[in-house]
Amino acid sequence: MGNLKLNQDGVHLEGISEFLSPLYVSEIRSRKDSLLFLRSEKNVTLNARNSQGQLTGQLTVGSEAVEAQCQRLQVRSRDGGRLLFTADEEEIVMTTEKFTVTGSEGAVFGHSVETPLIQARVSDDLKLESPTRTLTMEAPRGVEVSTAEGTLKVSGRKDLQLQSTEGEILLDASTIQLGSLPLGIYTASSAQASQDQDIYEVCVCPSGKIYLSPAESSSTCQAMSNICLWS
């Protein structure tokens, strides 16, 4: 039969073999010192069926995509003992210690993300962004945002709101600066106040708005200040 040999342990094919009809076997393997190649002009499809002949799994390698059809897709470690990735109709689970995204556009999630830690690589910036909607971070025991070195910046085009329903808001730092606060008019001349005044008093309106007022021997904060009336 040329390249086809029939032995007690099975059928041995030497060289390149071509099949024009389906091939049904229990095992296909190459020699210990050779690679196994499956080639086709269109695609290569591997089917798995049960005892009733029903299709239980399919792997198709085509020119444009690799498709797997099964109840659950699993990827294991080299020794086969550790499960690294699994996917089914309900969820996708990754059990690796680290999940790295190296694309220039980052990762895009259409829905919520649940994770204990989001961390950038060493010497890289971490950016969480929602271009057109709201970015929300929630946790039953608290949310911690910290930076070991450098500056932590939180900015917004409109309002930036800090709210605690039952606890308190604590600002703990050696220096706390509130820039661009409005200046209330207490003296007869606002120009004189801006030229001669070096010390200001921080005033709080009934609405909670903060403004500056020239410091005097007594408080210069006024509930009827023009800042409070227009807040």
Side-chain angles (χ1 to χ4, degrees), residues 44-225:
V44 176
T45 302
L46 304 178
N47 294 331
R49 300 180 182 274
N50 56 19
S51 58
Q52 286 78 29
Q54 298 174 343
L55 183 65
T56 57
Q58 184 180 79
L59 176 64
T60 302
V61 181
S63 58
E64 298 181 355
V66 177
E67 298 181 0
Q69 179 182 351
C70 54
Q71 293 183 352
R72 175 177 295 179
L73 176 64
Q74 295 182 345
V75 179
R76 294 186 175 272
S77 59
R78 181 179 300 180
D79 58 0
R82 183 181 178 186
L83 183 63
L84 303 179
F85 176 89
T86 178
D88 56 25
E89 293 182 357
E90 296 182 355
E91 64 178 359
I92 297 177
V93 179
M94 300 185 64
T95 60
T96 56
E97 296 181 357
K98 183 182 297 184
F99 174 63
T100 304
V101 178
T102 59
S104 59
E105 297 296 330
V108 179
F109 299 94
H111 299 282
S112 60
V113 179
E114 182 177 350
T115 177
L117 175 64
I118 300 178
Q119 181 179 355
R121 294 188 302 177
V122 178
S123 70
D124 287 345
D125 295 333
L126 175 63
K127 184 177 182 181
L128 302 178
E129 181 181 13
S130 178
T132 59
R133 293 296 185 269
T134 303
L135 177 62
T136 304
M137 292 186 292
E138 297 179 351
R141 295 187 178 181
V143 177
E144 180 180 352
V145 181
S146 62
T147 172
E149 297 180 1
T151 303
L152 178 62
K153 181 179 180 182
V154 180
S155 62
R157 182 179 178 182
K158 295 184 178 180
D159 296 339
L160 179 62
Q161 181 177 354
L162 300 177
Q163 180 180 0
S164 178
T165 56
E166 298 181 0
E168 60 182 10
I169 298 177
L170 176 63
L171 301 178
D172 186 5
S174 58
T175 302
I176 298 177
Q177 294 183 348
L178 302 176
S180 303
L181 290 180
L183 178 61
I185 300 175
Y186 177 74
T187 59
S189 174
S190 61
Q192 180 182 358
S194 62
Q195 293 176 1
D196 302 337
Q197 194 72 31
D198 294 330
I199 301 176
Y200 295 89
E201 183 179 1
V202 179
C203 304
V204 182
C205 299
S207 63
K209 188 172 184 179
I210 299 176
Y211 72 96
L212 298 179
S213 181
E216 301 289 346
S217 58
S218 60
S219 177
T220 60
C221 296
Q222 299 177 1
M224 300 301 293
S225 170

